[in-house]
Each structure stands twice: as structure tokens, then as C-alpha cells.
Amino acid sequence: MVNFCDSEFWNWDSFWNSDTPVLTTCFRHSVLVFVPCAFLWTASIFNFFRERYDRSDNFQRKNAPSPWTLLTIAKLMLTTALILCSVAEALYLLYEDSLPYRHITKVNYFSVVFRILTFILAIYLQVAQKREGHLNSYTLSLFWILFSVCNFFSSPFFDALSVSLDGFLDPSLFIFGVITFTVLVAEAVLSLFTDPQYNMFWDAEKDEFIMKHQPLLSRLFFSWMNRIIWHGYRNVFEVDKLDVLAPKMRTAYLHQKLQNQWTKEENRAKEIFEEDKTGVTRREKCCQRGPSLLLAIIRALWPWLLAAAVLEFIYSFVVLLPPILLDYLITYMGNDEPSWHGYVYAFVLFLAA
């Protein structure tokens, strides 16, 4: 770890047992960079295989490319600025490392290279989103929000709150940190908005209310329902024009997927048995079984089953947090812990409740 970082990976006393939390340099440049970047790469790989799995479906019409709008151009320009800023930081680190009195640790190179590759992936996803006519990307929205939160703890702003800028004595790294965090926050804010769609297939009275076209916060807080209620109040309520579910979110689509997989299971079971000349069936393969409904369900609905399993796994731990946090909060009221501990307990309790 000494060859990889210039400090210890984690120091519990300097973070939790101090009046002002301090994160080690190694933790800042490794975990706080790896977590959001790994999230985007993992989610992108998952979405790639899911779209490839659904590519053969012609259940939904293909969207036309989205037009160039100010919001789209702003997002691409901000991502490009992040790439250029990270490249400039990498070149500066190489220059500093070439000086005889400076030594740049490997964790700094790991951080900047991983950020460059991830930002390149992000701009590719943004271009693909425009080309495929998608109005928003929840993966990118969550990535920008997560990266903004993680980058805050490694930015000069976090050190300014603790009245300690010793980690940013280098003015160039200070500038790179300020620019990166500012652009990340701007990306996170813009990702919460959705451009209107303009193509030959767009029906303003119908597609505007589809749930998947709503931005992230609108989906989380169900604010898109207010527009439907207001529309029903001002206009005659017509069910065929309030088609809030996308075709792939309907039971007809799921039934089609399940029926296709069940047909494959039946055909596979029939191929196992072969009727000989005497009319007696015999087993041709070593593993004989009939069609499996469980396998058909898994193959047809595996993305939703996997997402439900992950959410259920997380929920199983979250439901245990409130009583534990309440115990910590009660204990905090009677001892001399740092004051910021109480805010952490209350905030996490609010999220877990």
C-alpha cells in the first residue's frame, strides 16, 4: 500500500473520532473514484446485455434520433470539459513526476485514468441516447449524482469546510478539483431534466404522459401524475390518449416474452424424445425432463428478477437500520461525541425510515 499511496488507506480516528472529519488521500483517490465509475461500467454492461436480449423484439417502434437542443449540447460540452480537465490533470501529474523533487504515487494515476475512461464512456452513452431517440437515461442521472457526492469529499470544497487546505497546496490541482466538482454538479442538475421529443412518431397528447419519458426526480416523487390530473381536469378524459405505460411495461409484452420461452421449452422437450420405427418412444439424451415453467420464467424475465432480487437484498438490510440508528442517536444525546455525529445519525435515519 505504501508504493500505491502516499498515506494509509483509512484512518478511523482522523475521520470519526475528530471534531472535523478528515479523509486520507489514498481513500479519496481510490474508493471515492472507483465506486461511481464502477457503477457506470456495471450498469452499462447490464444494459448492453439487456438490450441485446430484447433486440429481436419488434413489439415497440424504433424511435427516431433526437434533435440537437440546448440541453443536449450543454450535456455533451460539460462531459467534454470533464475529459479535457482530466487529461490536463494527467499531463500535469506526468510533468510533476518528471521533476527530481516530486514523486507522484500510483493512486493518482489510477484515479485520473479511471476518470478519463469513465467520462469517455459517459459521452458515448449520451451520444447513443441521442441517436436512439431516448429522452433520458436513469443510469447517467444516477451516475452523475453519485459521482458529485463522492467527488465532494475529495474536492477543495470539503477541505474548505474543515478549514484545512493543506491537501491542495498545489494551485494547479486545486483548480482542477474546483473545475471537476463544479462541472459534475452541473451535469447532475441537467440530467434531471428531459428534452421534448420532436420526430414523426411523437404524439404530444399521448407520448408526453408515458412514464419512461419522465425525468428521474419526476419518477421518484410521482410528480408526473400532477400533469395527468391537471390534464384530466381541463380536458375530457380519454383513456386511449393517456397511455402512461410504455409497450414493454405492459402485461401483453411480458406474456409474449414468456410465451416465446415456453414454446422453446416445449420444442426442446420434444427433441429429447424420438419415436423409433416400432412406435415406442426412447430417451435419446442422458438428461430427460419435460418443459420447465421455472426456466421459461427466468429466461423471459431475468432482468426484472435480477433487479428485484438486488432491491430485496438491499431492503433486507435497510429495514434493520432504524432501531440501530435510534439506539446510536439516544446514546449520542448522553455523551460527548462530536456534534456532526448527530446530523449523520438523523440524516441516515431519515433515509432508512
Side-chain angles (χ1 to χ4, degrees), residues 19-219:
D19 294 333
T20 302
V22 177
L23 296 173
T24 62
T25 305
C26 185
F27 185 84
R28 289 183 174 189
H29 292 290
S30 58
V31 175
L32 295 182
V33 174
F34 175 78
V35 169
C37 294
F39 166 78
L40 182 62
W41 284 97
T42 304
S44 300
I45 294 174
F46 175 80
N47 291 334
F48 170 77
F49 284 105
R50 187 188 63 178
E51 292 176 1
R52 185 177 180 181
Y53 176 76
D54 294 336
R55 187 174 298 173
S56 59
D57 298 330
N58 53 3
F59 198 81
Q60 185 178 7
R61 65 175 183 261
K62 185 177 180 180
N63 295 329
S66 300
W68 289 101
T69 61
L70 291 178
L71 184 60
T72 303
I73 296 174
K75 291 179 181 179
L76 293 175
M77 290 182 62
L78 289 175
T79 309
T80 304
L82 287 173
I83 296 175
L84 296 178
C85 183
S86 299
V87 171
E89 183 178 351
L91 295 177
Y92 178 77
L93 291 177
L94 290 174
Y95 168 75
E96 288 290 309
D97 199 16
S98 64
L99 299 178
Y101 55 88
R102 288 296 303 272
H103 173 67
I104 305 300
T105 55
K106 296 179 181 179
V107 68
N108 292 277
Y109 293 114
F110 164 82
S111 173
V112 70
V113 171
F114 206 17
R115 277 186 283 134
I116 291 174
L117 295 178
T118 305
F119 292 149
I120 292 176
L121 174 63
I123 199 171
Y124 168 78
L125 294 177
Q126 289 174 335
V127 174
Q129 174 186 340
K130 178 191 177 301
R131 183 176 63 249
E132 296 173 3
H134 297 314
L135 298 186
N136 48 49
S137 173
Y138 300 129
T139 299
L140 285 174
S141 298
L142 292 175
F143 164 70
W144 294 124
I145 294 173
L146 180 61
F147 209 150
S148 299
V149 173
C150 292
N151 187 261
F152 168 76
F153 294 99
S154 59
S155 67
F157 297 97
F158 179 75
D159 294 272
L161 292 178
S162 60
V163 198
S164 174
L165 295 176
D166 295 337
F168 286 93
L169 294 178
D170 193 317
S172 299
L173 295 180
F174 180 87
I175 294 174
F176 289 141
V178 171
I179 294 176
T180 300
F181 178 72
T182 305
V183 176
L184 283 174
V185 172
E187 280 276 19
V189 173
L190 292 182
S191 66
L192 301 178
F193 295 92
T194 300
D195 262 333
Q197 180 67 283
Y198 303 99
N199 59 56
M200 59 183 301
F201 299 112
W202 182 260
D203 186 353
E205 295 185 359
K206 185 176 181 180
D207 293 341
E208 184 180 0
F209 300 105
I210 293 181
M211 190 166 57
K212 77 167 189 176
H213 293 166
Q214 312 305 322
L216 180 62
L217 289 183
S218 180
R219 287 283 298 272

Side-chain angles (χ1 to χ4, degrees), residues 138-139 224 229 285 338:
Y138 300 129
T139 299
W224 58 278
I229 296 174
K285 298 183 180 180

Side-chain angles (χ1 to χ4, degrees), residues 285-300:
K285 298 183 180 180
C286 61
C287 300
Q288 178 184 3
R289 65 171 178 83
S292 174
L293 179 60
L294 178 60
L295 290 178
I297 293 176
I298 293 176
R299 290 171 180 170

